[in-house]
Amino acid sequence: RMGATKVHALRNVSVTIKPGEFVAIMGPSGSGKSTLLHVVGFLDRPDSGSYHVAGKDITELTDTELAILRNRLAGFIFQQFHLLPRISAVENAELPLIYAGRRHLKEKAHEKIKEVGLASRESHRPNELSGGEQQRVAIARSLVNEPVIILADETTGNLDTKSEEEIIALLEDLNQQGKTIVMVTHEQEIAVRAKRIIRMRDGEIVADER
């Protein structure tokens, strides 16, 4: 709600995302694309309707159950990298393991940092890394809990062309490994790298192209 006016961030949205898809969500500012991503990633709840994951309606879950599901199933990458400045790249990648009480799996963080091509930079702090490298640390962090779905919100928005290309290639590679990827972008040349484009306007899906 904004003041007394009810604003529908999403209206009559019905969408099915299958395992292994690479979906781009496009639309002008305020079209509802980030809200849709947040609902898909268990960050927001729809006010009405249902959301089924593997056949189970999760709108009935408590906040705690939803948080557990989010930790297990979803990995997030944002436009701002959200790295903690005082700790190393590998320690940043480790954070979701600590939150999930899986600190004993520290090796996973090293493995994922290596997977995104930063093995030689893992002890560097964020301010010693380029924007593209910081985003790769954020991707490694999103992968440590072995999520089934990666949610990317304008992931390349702060990057130069070369870094942008590296990040998209990395997402394509993850998709080929079987990860489901849902990516919000306003850039057509980024969106066409996905296998499906959902276009939104005023909270509604206006096109769904494969």
Side-chain angles (χ1 to χ4, degrees):
R1 282 175 183 274
M2 289 168 70
T5 320
K6 202 169 184 185
V7 177
H8 290 278
L10 295 175
R11 293 182 302 189
N12 309 320
V13 167
S14 178
V15 67
T16 301
I17 295 169
K18 295 197 171 90
E21 282 202 278
F22 187 169
V23 183
I25 304 173
M26 293 197 79
S29 204
S31 60
K33 56 189 189 296
S34 287
T35 305
L36 179 58
L37 191 79
H38 288 177
V39 169
V40 170
F42 323 110
L43 288 170
D44 288 345
R45 292 172 184 271
D47 295 322
S48 59
S50 61
Y51 176 20
H52 292 263
V53 176
K56 182 178 168 60
D57 186 358
I58 64 152
T59 44
E60 308 296 312
L61 298 183
T62 65
D63 286 349
T64 308
E65 289 170 326
L66 208 56
I68 291 167
L69 196 66
R70 186 165 59 235
N71 267 343
R72 287 200 183 143
L73 295 187
F76 296 89
I77 319 162
F78 301 98
Q79 182 172 353
Q80 268 69 32
F81 317 124
H82 297 307
L83 300 177
L84 297 184
R86 298 191 198 296
I87 62 176
S88 70
V90 73
E91 288 168 321
N92 266 288
E94 221 176 275
L95 290 172
L97 294 170
I98 293 167
Y99 299 148
R102 305 167 77 190
R103 194 187 285 262
H104 59 289
L105 296 175
K106 275 172 91 153
E107 209 36 59
K108 268 266 181 272
H110 292 281
E111 186 188 303
K112 297 304 176 191
I113 284 282
K114 191 174 170 186
E115 238 174 74
V116 298
L118 287 180
S120 63
R121 318 275 287 160
E122 70 170 31
S123 57
H124 288 54
R125 287 184 179 184
N127 67 353
E128 300 168 316
L129 300 170
S130 70
E133 287 171 334
Q134 288 184 62
Q135 191 58 289
R136 282 196 261 165
V137 174
I139 292 174
R141 181 186 58 197
S142 79
L143 293 170
V144 289
N145 275 335
E146 298 293 353
V148 292
I149 184 166
I150 301 285
L151 300 130
D153 198 352
E154 299 282 9
T155 312
T156 59
N158 281 344
L159 303 178
D160 59 75
T161 311
K162 181 176 176 287
S163 301
E164 182 179 270
E165 172 54 42
E166 285 169 2
I167 296 301
I168 286 297
L170 193 50
L171 291 177
E172 285 178 326
D173 195 37
L174 288 167
N175 179 239
Q176 278 159 7
Q177 290 170 35
K179 298 279 185 211
T180 306
I181 296 179
V182 182
M183 169 177 77
V184 162
T185 182
H186 61 269
E187 298 172 71
Q188 181 66 27
E189 70 272 19
I190 296 291
V192 295
R193 302 284 286 272
K195 294 171 182 165
R196 175 180 175 193
I197 301 178
I198 293 172
R199 295 183 193 275
M200 299 191 70
R201 186 171 289 278
D202 301 329
E204 297 185 286
I205 291 175
V206 292
D208 190 341
E209 312 149 8
R210 287 174 197 277

